[in-house]
């Protein structure tokens, strides 16, 4: 399963008008997203949604971000992203002029360049955010970007819908709200259920499509046509699936590497230069493999009828790919393939460039080969000389070659004196010798020289590759889309019973009609048929196991059904629990449940204190006894959250009518049952006296006063 870890870094800035500029750069795919918008809600909902979508590893902000009175501010929003590192730069780093020049030099799309030139002032905040972002990337990551190498999107796409962060969480789109255990623990959300993709790009595209679904009818139907063909034509489905398995899993990262230019200064260490050379050679080898497999994918797409698959086939058939492969094969040995084994990969990278291109490289390779052979011969000699038949010489990047053998093979009481740097790992002994250290040094120096000369040989080739970045980006996006369509969506449909999933029909004006709809995540985790009744099951378990020694905590019982039924269930459950004399904490927004305190002496009503300050709610975070003293608390809370004024005004009118009706009902009830409430009140006080420690004189005086009050109020 491909890695979907985030690789975005984000920069944010706002002005006094609550206008926010955002720049988000994907270090894995070299894509830049610029967005500028006015926050209409006090909770910064647009910013929160975008941060949840990008899920950044780092967030860059200016110092002293403005927070108007009564507004949570951008700082609070950023602090809620606990998984991201926070970076604060001087406000001077957010220079929109420098940002505009930088983006215009980097952007691949000339049409977007024209838009920025014409509407520069309209996007000054996000361009300033881009300037700070690239300055931080240059400083912290040590990389700069090649001109005309970055795909830029401005203000997102109107073809996708935005889902707010709370809905993403409650719908369990990308993360489960519940702790999952056992073999199904990774199927607790829609993303995990669908994540059968094979490439990192396909996995990230799947996540992006769940967080920002398509809303363009034509694009949706194009994808549905593709799914129809994939699920009805086994030859195409399996052909594409097998072809995709041949491509490198992180092809988007490989192509992105050609957008970056590593900074090489005079004081760069040999180790960093070696690492950069290895990285470059490895990516060219992987690109060569990807281009080698294009004909196989093109053949699998042969005969495809839907427009999406035909378009991808045309991209694969572009003659520029063949020309690029030929240019690579002029420099790179044809039999070189990428390997994950450290020493094998190291050897292949040293011999990636064809012999005869660079004489110094050929000499360095001879030294590398001779020292590698000498090391292997040394291992054979040590096995015979010290009678260690299982002696090996593994390799790692930090230590180079070292000696390793099982402790049980050691026939004598001590390790031979020739062995040094001895380390025991469980039952394995690791060590070295002076002779091996000398060979290691020569071998690593020769490898470093190979990487250096190879990098010089590949400079012209990399320049040639960068000329085709736009085409390579199209290929990367096509492979990611194919992976999502074939290995996720089509795979889900094909592996479920027939007609478990059917094609929806879309119209411009509705209506919305869903027949026999099912919950895909629950269906994948719960065997057999199921109903949405978790709350009732939990309540039934609670009531059936209740004792007088129970501590019960209930939150919003009855919220999952109609208002009337919910209130009735909540009231009856409270009375049932009261009969057991259990200790119960019951949180609710049903105001009428507070009437239980007038019927049952052992019920106390409490609320969290809040007051009105400057026409806004001021939360005290203190628990008080009684009912809330803030009229229409919910409406004021909605107003504070930024719900439109027209909606708030309508809510106040409706609430006033309900209040008038409730007041009339209360007056009637008071006239009819008022004396009973007074009786319950007296009974409650008498019950409390059972546990008092008052002396007899004070107790008599209290009872006499209580009697007088009762008689006067009858």
């Amino acid at each position: 399963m491909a890695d979907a870890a985030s690789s975005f870094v984000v920069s944010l800035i706002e002005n006094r008008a609550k206008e926010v500029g955002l720049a988000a750069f994907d270090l894995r795919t070299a894509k830049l997203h610029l967005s500028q918008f006015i926050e209409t809600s006090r909770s910064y909902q647009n910013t929160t949604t975008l941060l949840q979508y990008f899920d950044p590893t780092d967030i860059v902000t200016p110092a002293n971000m403005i927070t108007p009175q009564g507004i949570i501010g951008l700082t609070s929003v950023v602090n809620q992203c606990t998984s991201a590192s926070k970076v604060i730069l001087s406000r001077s780093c957010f220079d929109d002029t420098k940002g505009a020049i930088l983006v215009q030099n980097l952007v691949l799309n000339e049409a977007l360049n024209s838009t920025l030139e014409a509407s520069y002032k309209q996007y000054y905040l996000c361009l300033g955010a881009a300037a700070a972002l690239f300055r931080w990337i240059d400083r912290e990551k040590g990389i700069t970007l090649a001109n005309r190498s970055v795909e830029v999107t401005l203000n997102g796409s109107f073809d996708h819908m935005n889902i707010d962060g709370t809905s993403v969480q409650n719908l369990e789109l990308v993360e489960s709200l519940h702790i999952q255990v056992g073999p199904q623990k990774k199927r607790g959300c829609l993303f995990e259920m669908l994540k059968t993709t094979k490439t990192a790009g396909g996995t990230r595209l799947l996540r992006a499509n769940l967080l920002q679904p398509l809303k363009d009818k034509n694009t949706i139907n194009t994808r549905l046509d593709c799914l129809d063909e994939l699920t009805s034509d086994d030859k195409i489905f399996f052909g594409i699936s097998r072809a995709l398995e041949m491509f490198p899993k992180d092809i988007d990262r490989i192509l992105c590497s050609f957008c970056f230019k590593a900074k090489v200064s005079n004081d760069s260490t040999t180790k960093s230069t070696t690492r950069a050379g290895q990285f470059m050679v490895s990516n060219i080898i992987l690109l060569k493999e990807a281009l080698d497999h294009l004909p196989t994918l093109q053949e699998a797409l042969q005969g495809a009828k839907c427009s999406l698959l035909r378009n991808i086939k045309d991209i694969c058939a572009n003659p520029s790919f063949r020309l690029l492969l030929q240019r690579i094969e002029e420099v790179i040995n044809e039999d070189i393939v990428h390997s994950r084994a450290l020493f094998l990969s190291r050897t292949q990278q040293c011999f990636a460039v064809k012999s005869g291109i660079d004489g110094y490289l050929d000499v360095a390779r001879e030294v590398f080969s001779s020292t590698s052979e000498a090391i292997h011969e040394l291992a054979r000699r040590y096995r015979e000389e010290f009678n260690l038949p299982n002696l090996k010489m593994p390799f790692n990047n930090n230590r180079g070659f070292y000696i390793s053998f099982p402790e049980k093979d050691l026939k004598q009481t001590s390790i031979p004196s020739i062995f040094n740097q001895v380390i025991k790992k469980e039952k394995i002994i690791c060590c070295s010798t002076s002779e091996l250290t000398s060979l290691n040094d020569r071998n690593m120096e020769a490898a470093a020289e190979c990487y250096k000369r190879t990098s010089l040989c590949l400079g012209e080739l990399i320049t040639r590759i960068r000329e085709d970045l736009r085409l390579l980006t199209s290929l990367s996006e096509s492979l990611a889309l194919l992976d999502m369509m074939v290995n996720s969506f089509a795979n889900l449909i094909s592996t479920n019973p027939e007609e478990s999933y059917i094609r929806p029909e879309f119209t411009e004006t509705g209506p919305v009609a869903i027949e026999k709809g099912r919950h895909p995540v629950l269906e994948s985790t719960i065997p057999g048929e199921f109903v949405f009744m978790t709350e009732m099951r939990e309540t039934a378990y609670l009531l059936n196991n209740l004792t007088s020694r129970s501590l019960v905590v209930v939150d919003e019982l009855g919220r999952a059904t109609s208002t009337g039924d919910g209130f009735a269930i909540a009231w009856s459950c409270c009375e049932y629990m009261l009969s057991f004399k259990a200790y119960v904490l019951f949180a609710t927004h049903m105001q009428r449940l507070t009437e239980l305190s007038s019927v049952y002496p052992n019920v106390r009503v409490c609320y969290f204190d809040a007051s009105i300050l400057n026409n806004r709610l001021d939360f005290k975070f203190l628990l008080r006894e009684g009912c809330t003293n803030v009229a229409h608390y919910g409406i004021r809370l909605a107003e504070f959250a930024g719900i439109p004024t027209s909606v708030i005004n309508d809510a106040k009118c409706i609430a006033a009518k309900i209040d008038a009706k409730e007041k009339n009902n209360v007056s009637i009830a008071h006239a009819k049952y008022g004396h009973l409430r007074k009786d319950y009140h007296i009974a409650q006080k008498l019950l409390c006296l059972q546990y008092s420690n008052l002396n007899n004189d004070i107790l008599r005086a209290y009872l006499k006063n209580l009697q007088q009050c009762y008689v006067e109020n009858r």
Side-chain angles (χ1 to χ4, degrees):
M1 194 172 292
D3 178 30
S6 172
S7 53
F8 273 99
V9 288
V10 167
S11 178
L12 288 166
I13 187 172
E14 68 173 329
N15 61 17
R16 293 183 182 276
K18 280 185 66 183
E19 191 172 13
V20 177
L22 178 146
F25 185 71
D26 191 347
L27 290 168
R28 192 180 184 98
T29 61
K31 292 182 180 179
L32 175 66
H33 171 86
L34 298 176
S35 190
Q36 188 161 327
F37 48 88
I38 296 176
E39 276 292 0
T40 55
S41 73
R42 295 185 177 93
S43 59
Y44 282 71
Q45 189 60 61
N46 292 330
T47 307
T48 303
T49 300
L50 283 173
L51 287 177
Q52 180 150 16
Y53 173 75
F54 291 118
D55 188 23
T57 57
D58 302 271
I59 302 177
V60 179
T61 59
N64 304 321
M65 287 197 294
I66 306 160
T67 306
Q69 185 179 8
I71 298 175
I72 65 171
L74 204 56
T75 304
S76 300
V77 175
V78 170
N79 289 338
Q80 290 171 10
C81 298
T82 54
S83 61
S85 299
K86 314 303 185 297
V87 180
I88 297 178
L89 296 181
S90 167
R91 207 167 183 88
S92 62
C93 296
F94 292 76
D95 188 321
D96 53 301
T97 304
K98 290 182 179 177
I101 296 171
L102 189 64
V103 171
Q104 287 173 354
N105 287 334
L106 295 175
V107 67
L108 265 172
N109 190 345
E110 291 295 336
L112 185 62
N113 223 340
S114 302
T115 301
L116 287 173
E117 288 178 0
S119 310
Y120 157 66
K121 290 298 181 183
Q122 183 180 345
Y123 300 107
Y124 77 100
L125 281 175
C126 61
L127 291 171
L133 184 65
F134 285 121
R135 179 167 180 167
W136 180 82
I137 291 173
D138 180 57
R139 186 184 73 189
E140 296 298 321
K141 303 297 182 181
I143 54 175
T144 54
L145 290 155
N147 288 343
R148 302 289 178 263
S149 64
V150 177
E151 184 178 346
V152 180
T153 57
L154 190 60
N155 272 350
S157 171
F158 294 106
D159 295 335
H160 295 77
M161 69 169 71
N162 284 326
I163 305 177
D164 67 275
T166 303
S167 298
V168 167
Q169 189 176 34
N170 291 335
L171 292 171
E172 298 184 300
L173 294 183
V174 295
E175 188 173 331
S176 175
L177 289 173
H178 307 285
I179 298 174
Q180 303 290 322
V181 295
Q184 297 290 342
K185 68 178 181 179
K186 290 191 176 180
R187 291 289 184 267
C189 67
L190 186 60
F191 176 55
E192 293 292 348
M193 189 197 87
L194 293 171
K195 196 171 72 173
T196 50
T197 46
K198 305 298 183 184
T199 67
T203 303
R204 283 191 296 277
L205 182 63
L206 172 64
R207 182 181 182 275
N209 275 261
L210 293 179
L211 291 175
Q212 290 191 339
L214 286 169
K215 64 179 183 181
D216 178 69
K217 180 182 170 184
N218 292 332
T219 309
I220 292 172
N221 282 325
T222 298
R223 289 191 179 183
L224 291 175
D225 290 341
C226 177
L227 279 178
D228 280 345
E229 184 164 359
L230 288 171
T231 53
S232 61
D233 192 326
D234 289 347
K235 181 180 178 182
I236 288 182
F237 174 81
F238 288 109
I240 296 173
S241 183
R242 283 191 293 266
L244 286 175
E245 289 179 356
M246 299 177 182
F247 286 85
K249 306 304 179 189
D250 51 356
I251 183 67
D252 53 347
R253 179 195 61 77
I254 296 163
L255 299 181
C256 171
S257 67
F258 298 108
C259 301
F260 296 155
K261 295 190 296 185
K263 291 174 66 176
V264 181
S265 57
N266 294 330
D267 58 349
S268 296
T269 63
T270 302
K271 194 170 185 178
S272 63
T273 305
T274 300
R275 192 183 302 115
Q278 284 181 293
F279 185 65
M280 181 190 299
V281 175
S282 175
N283 286 329
I284 290 178
I285 293 172
L286 286 168
L287 175 60
K288 175 181 173 295
E289 286 185 22
L291 295 176
D292 276 334
H293 296 312
L294 273 183
T296 305
L297 180 59
Q298 186 180 348
E299 184 179 351
L301 291 166
Q302 203 69 34
K305 298 180 177 63
C306 69
S307 60
L308 190 150
L309 295 180
R310 289 203 312 270
N311 287 341
I312 295 176
K313 184 189 71 173
D314 292 341
I315 291 173
C316 295
N318 193 308
S320 295
F321 287 127
R322 185 66 234 172
L323 294 174
L324 180 59
L325 180 60
Q326 289 174 356
R327 182 69 184 93
I328 292 174
E329 289 176 341
E330 290 174 4
V331 181
I332 301 295
N333 280 309
E334 293 182 6
D335 57 345
I336 290 292
V337 293
H338 184 262
S339 173
R340 292 188 178 274
L342 282 177
F343 181 69
L344 185 58
S345 173
R346 185 167 172 256
T347 304
Q348 288 174 332
Q349 289 170 0
C350 286
F351 287 86
V353 174
K354 290 183 175 180
S355 60
I357 292 179
D358 185 296
Y360 291 108
L361 174 59
D362 294 341
V363 171
R365 285 200 285 220
E366 288 180 8
V367 176
F368 175 80
S369 298
S370 62
T371 51
S372 298
E373 291 173 5
I375 288 171
H376 290 299
E377 174 60 26
L378 191 65
R380 185 196 62 76
R381 179 155 59 85
Y382 285 164
R383 278 193 289 268
E384 296 177 357
E385 184 176 342
F386 300 108
N387 194 23
L388 296 171
N390 296 306
L391 183 145
K392 298 178 182 177
M393 280 198 181
F395 174 87
N396 67 39
N397 284 329
N398 293 325
R399 193 173 182 180
F401 288 97
Y402 61 95
I403 298 168
S404 170
F405 58 89
E407 186 181 16
K408 65 178 183 178
D409 286 1
L410 204 59
K411 305 300 182 183
Q412 53 198 47
T413 56
S414 61
I415 296 173
S417 58
I418 193 176
F419 292 166
N420 56 33
Q421 303 177 27
V422 179
I423 299 173
K424 184 178 178 182
K425 296 180 179 179
E426 295 181 351
K427 296 182 179 180
I428 301 295
I429 293 176
C430 300
C431 56
S432 185
T433 66
S434 299
E435 190 175 4
L436 178 58
T437 301
S438 176
L439 285 171
N440 243 336
D441 290 342
R442 291 171 58 199
N443 184 266
M444 296 182 83
E445 287 173 3
E449 183 65 18
C450 286
Y451 297 137
K452 178 182 176 182
R453 301 306 306 180
T454 297
S455 298
L456 294 174
C457 293
L458 296 178
E460 185 179 340
L461 176 59
I462 290 172
T463 301
R464 172 65 182 83
I465 292 172
R466 284 177 179 154
E467 292 174 2
D468 287 323
L469 275 179
R470 187 178 299 178
L471 184 61
L472 291 171
T473 300
S474 298
L475 174 62
S476 173
E477 292 174 348
S478 299
L479 293 174
L481 180 59
L482 269 183
D483 186 24
M484 181 180 73
M485 297 297 294
V486 175
N487 293 317
S488 180
F489 298 155
N491 178 68
L492 177 69
I493 297 169
S494 302
T495 54
N496 277 277
E498 191 174 356
E499 296 186 358
S500 291
Y501 291 86
I502 62 170
R503 175 173 179 160
E505 295 181 11
F506 293 93
T507 61
E508 295 293 341
T509 57
V512 176
I514 301 174
E515 184 179 349
K516 295 182 180 179
R518 307 185 314 281
H519 193 301
V521 178
L522 289 181
E523 189 174 58
S524 69
T525 56
I526 301 175
E529 295 184 359
F530 59 90
V531 181
F532 305 124
M533 56 180 298
T534 302
E535 183 186 39
M536 293 299 105
R537 283 176 176 163
E538 290 174 349
T539 304
Y541 176 83
L542 185 155
L543 299 179
N544 289 327
N545 292 276
L546 194 66
T547 70
S548 60
R549 301 281 296 168
S550 296
L551 169 62
V552 182
V553 181
V554 181
D555 182 30
E556 296 288 356
L557 178 62
R559 66 186 181 276
T561 185
S562 66
T563 304
D565 288 352
F567 174 73
I569 291 169
W571 184 284
S572 59
C573 286
C574 285
E575 289 193 312
Y576 184 83
M577 289 186 284
L578 284 165
S579 68
F580 276 83
K581 300 181 180 179
Y583 193 86
V584 181
L585 294 173
F586 195 102
T588 183
H589 282 90
M590 297 178 183
Q591 189 75 17
R592 292 190 61 189
L593 280 180
T594 60
E595 296 175 14
L596 281 164
S597 63
S598 64
V599 180
Y600 294 95
N602 53 335
V603 172
R604 291 181 63 187
V605 176
C606 299
Y607 68 98
F608 278 103
D609 193 15
S611 62
I612 307 298
L613 180 65
N614 295 329
N615 204 30
R616 298 185 187 278
L617 280 173
D618 180 28
F619 301 103
K620 305 295 185 182
F621 302 101
L622 294 173
L623 195 65
R624 306 282 191 192
E625 188 167 358
C627 296
T628 177
N629 57 351
V630 177
H632 303 306
Y633 178 90
I635 294 177
R636 292 185 180 275
L637 194 63
E639 188 175 13
F640 176 78
I643 288 180
T645 304
S646 60
V647 177
I648 297 297
N649 291 337
D650 285 346
K652 288 178 178 178
C653 292
I654 295 168
K657 294 177 182 178
I658 294 173
D659 284 349
K661 187 176 180 180
E662 285 289 329
K663 188 175 182 180
N664 183 53
N665 292 339
V666 168
S667 299
I668 296 171
H670 184 75
K672 190 173 182 180
Y673 302 109
H675 65 285
L676 289 177
R677 295 190 178 188
K678 292 173 184 176
D679 291 347
Y680 284 126
H681 182 71
I682 293 295
Q684 183 179 19
K685 291 185 177 296
L686 290 173
L687 284 171
C688 291
L689 287 175
Q690 293 182 25
Y691 305 100
S692 71
N693 55 2
L694 302 175
N695 62 41
N696 290 337
D697 292 338
I698 297 175
L699 188 60
R700 286 192 192 94
Y702 181 83
L703 288 171
K704 188 174 181 179
N705 183 59
L706 192 64
Q707 182 185 32
Q708 185 178 351
C709 292
Y710 179 73
V711 171
E712 289 176 354
N713 293 324
R714 286 293 286 175

